[in-house]
Amino acid sequence: MAYKTYDNDNIFAKILRKEIPCDIIFENNHVIAFKDLHPKAPIHLLALPKGAYVDMSDFTNNASTEEIAALFRAVGELAKTYGINDSGYRIISNCGIDGGQEIPHLHIHILGGKQL
Ligand code: 5GP
């Protein structure tokens, strides 16, 4: 049985299908990234797999090695592009109810630009 059913109507699914406008700052075969609508730091980016994964548990259990590598490589690329590779940053992925996840499509928050 599936871990959780993926909701095709979640807002990030709509962004991925280009049904909602969004400034995509990074894209490759497996990943897209954009700026968080309500930034919690001077730099607040979201990186997500293009595949339909509900959260980190779904992703780590069901995604291919290539997809998993691509997402974390993208985080590293974004840190370099946004100039926080040396100053440092925090990555967060809220998972499920206790993790406080609001949007049920896996995403990694990348926060930086000041001491957190
Ligand atoms: P979560 O709580 O699921 O880990 O985080 C969801 C994040 O998505 C929040 O930080 C929120 O500000 C951001 N967000 C929600 N809707 C949109 C949207 O339509 N566009 C963008 N760029 N970010 C969004």
Side-chain angles (χ1 to χ4, degrees):
M1 199 180 95
Y3 163 70
K4 282 176 190 167
T5 306
Y6 183 81
D7 171 13
N8 277 309
D9 288 330
N10 81 76
I11 197 144
F12 290 170
K14 291 179 180 173
I15 288 174
L16 277 161
R17 292 195 299 266
K18 318 268 194 231
E19 290 170 11
I20 293 179
C22 179
D23 280 339
I24 306 293
I25 58 170
F26 176 98
E27 180 163 15
N28 65 21
N29 285 347
H30 293 300
V31 180
I32 68 163
F34 44 82
K35 293 183 180 176
D36 196 291
L37 196 59
H38 304 293
K40 310 287 189 306
I43 293 168
H44 186 171
L45 314 175
L46 300 172
L48 46 148
K50 287 186 172 175
Y53 300 103
V54 177
D55 60 18
M56 189 58 85
S57 293
D58 188 15
F59 189 62
T60 51
N61 282 299
N62 299 313
S64 67
T65 304
E66 193 177 316
E67 289 172 293
I68 293 170
L71 183 61
F72 285 94
R73 290 261 188 231
V75 170
E77 282 299 313
L78 286 159
K80 280 190 273 184
T81 303
Y82 282 81
I84 54 173
N85 194 57
D86 295 337
S87 51
Y89 56 94
R90 181 177 295 166
I91 65 170
I92 298 169
S93 190
N94 299 319
C95 179
I97 293 168
D98 283 359
Q101 182 178 5
E102 289 171 14
I103 309 223
H105 181 111
L106 171 66
H107 49 282
I108 295 181
H109 297 256
I110 305 164
L111 297 137
K114 70 170 188 182
Q115 190 158 22
L116 299 165

